[in-house]
Amino acid sequence: MKICSRTPKARKNEWMKIKRRSIYDDRHKVMMCWMSKAGCTSFKALLLEAAGFNLSSSKFGVDMLGIHSDELLIQYGLDKMVMLSDDKIKEILGKYFVFMLIRHPFERLLSTYRGKVLNKQSDIPWFAAETLKLSHSDIFENNKTLARMKAPQNVLGSPTFSQFLDWIRISNTYNDHWSMIVEACHPCAHNWSAILKLETMEHDSRLLIEHLKPDLNISAAPVRHSHQNEPVHNHDWLRMPEYDDVTEETIEYLLQMYEIDLKMFGYKWDKARNIASCSIDTVDGLCC
């Protein structure tokens, strides 16, 4: 709230915009605002289990992408806030357990690259395609067949992480997978019940689990990812060598883009060593 009070850019977000990235559960009086690549799959599964969905017997298995199905959410009493009236939204924000899920933005970017660019089964193939069109523009200019392909990465191979970030910077492309927290969940717009961080998911999730009991008979939120190569950690720093080849210009662009998020949630970035860290200690001694 200190950051909100002195940051006009963060304060100007209207609270009503929260509804675009939020789901709610009237039975348990819960609302969740989610960030892509910040654990939303795991927590949607958690809310579904509390509503009676038997995840272990479902068809999803390791691939949890089906959890995002609107039909499944509605079937178990979860729904998006997009179509709600202003009065209902005010009721939810004033009386429900409202929380958001966040993660260090530099980790979210790397997670997006691994899951949506490197992954051959990506549901967003144009991330890789547009990156290659920028980094290999001469090839596309001379090869019209390649230029018409929806997935040229199948021919040229996946772009590098550095090329992907350069594409985001040069094209100034905006997407939910690397959106700013202050523009996605609008932390300044409401007095949130909890802000849960992926870095300390097992600890932070206890707040939600206590609220969902007795319908959820577990002690900690299980960590579930549709991409199993992602580290889930309880730490105060993480070195990411994938950033070693990223240009200084692109790093500065990202630091400026995420400036408010980094300050507001205690996230830091060590440019010399490419280390993501946190500067906020909890009463339990955990980062953030």
Side-chain angles (χ1 to χ4, degrees):
M1 297 312 295
K2 289 180 181 178
I3 300 297
C4 290
S5 66
R6 60 175 183 260
T7 311
K9 184 178 180 180
R11 292 203 311 271
K12 73 178 183 180
N13 297 312
E14 302 111 18
W15 62 268
M16 289 298 294
K17 290 182 179 178
I18 296 172
K19 64 183 182 179
R20 192 180 76 81
R21 300 186 63 82
S22 299
I23 60 173
Y24 69 100
D25 176 356
D26 273 330
R27 175 185 171 189
H28 294 98
K29 300 294 186 288
V30 170
M31 186 208 84
M32 175 179 79
C33 184
W34 51 272
M35 301 285 298
S36 297
K37 314 308 290 184
C40 64
T41 301
S42 296
F43 279 84
K44 282 184 180 179
L46 195 67
L47 293 175
L48 281 168
E49 286 186 301
F53 178 61
N54 188 350
L55 185 67
S56 61
S57 64
S58 75
K59 61 183 179 181
F60 301 128
V62 173
D63 183 1
M64 298 290 293
L65 292 178
I67 288 295
H68 301 290
S69 163
D70 290 345
E71 292 77 10
L72 178 65
L73 294 172
I74 293 172
Q75 179 183 348
Y76 284 88
L78 304 174
D79 204 352
K80 295 181 178 180
M81 294 177 63
V82 175
M83 303 302 294
L84 293 182
S85 67
D86 292 1
D87 288 341
K88 180 62 176 180
I89 293 175
K90 290 178 182 178
E91 176 190 349
I92 289 174
L93 291 175
K95 298 180 180 180
Y96 288 24
F97 182 90
V98 293
F99 69 99
M100 69 174 75
L101 302 173
I102 66 172
R103 185 183 192 182
H104 195 297
F106 281 53
E107 284 195 73
R108 286 180 60 224
L109 283 169
L110 181 55
S111 176
T112 297
Y113 173 71
R114 288 170 172 167
K116 304 300 182 181
V117 178
L118 285 185
N119 181 13
K120 299 298 183 182
Q121 306 301 318
S122 170
D123 57 332
I124 315 179
W126 64 269
F127 283 1
E130 293 302 314
T131 299
L132 289 172
K133 288 178 182 178
L134 177 65
S135 60
H136 296 74
S137 57
D138 54 335
I139 296 178
F140 284 88
E141 288 176 3
N142 298 321
N143 190 326
K144 300 305 180 183
T145 300
L146 191 65
R148 289 192 295 267
M149 294 179 63
K150 292 184 178 181
Q153 57 269 31
N154 294 336
V155 176
L156 298 176
S158 299
T160 66
F161 183 53
S162 178
Q163 290 170 341
F164 173 60
L165 295 185
D166 284 344
W167 166 65
I168 292 176
R169 172 179 61 82
I170 296 171
S171 65
N172 198 29
T173 298
Y174 185 86
N175 187 272
D176 287 344
H177 287 81
W178 53 86
S179 59
M180 289 77 80
I181 301 169
V182 293
E183 293 188 358
C185 286
H186 310 286
C188 296
H190 182 68
N191 185 22
W192 295 83
S193 306
I195 298 173
L196 311 183
K197 297 194 171 187
L198 187 67
E199 291 84 358
T200 48
M201 176 190 282
E202 292 187 10
H203 173 272
D204 293 358
S205 62
R206 294 171 192 165
L207 290 168
L208 176 60
I209 291 168
E210 285 299 319
H211 183 85
L212 295 175
K213 284 183 175 179
D215 290 330
L216 198 63
N217 188 27
I218 59 175
S219 59
V223 175
R224 305 184 182 96
H225 287 281
S226 56
H227 305 295
Q228 294 298 306
N229 60 344
E230 297 219 22
V232 177
H233 40 67
N234 289 322
H235 58 55
D236 56 6
W237 66 272
L238 176 68
R239 166 155 164 72
M240 290 185 276
E242 292 85 355
Y243 280 88
D244 290 350
D245 297 327
V246 179
T247 65
E248 183 176 349
E249 184 179 7
T250 295
I251 292 295
E252 290 300 327
Y253 170 86
L254 296 175
L255 288 173
Q256 181 176 356
M257 180 168 71
Y258 293 116
E259 180 182 10
I260 300 176
D261 285 356
L262 295 170
K263 289 180 179 179
M264 187 172 291
F265 301 104
Y267 288 134
K268 291 185 176 296
W269 179 254
D270 185 331
K271 293 189 291 184
R273 296 179 294 170
N274 293 326
I275 291 177
S277 61
C278 179
S279 61
I280 300 176
D281 293 326
T282 70
V283 293
D284 297 320
L286 291 171
C287 160
C288 304

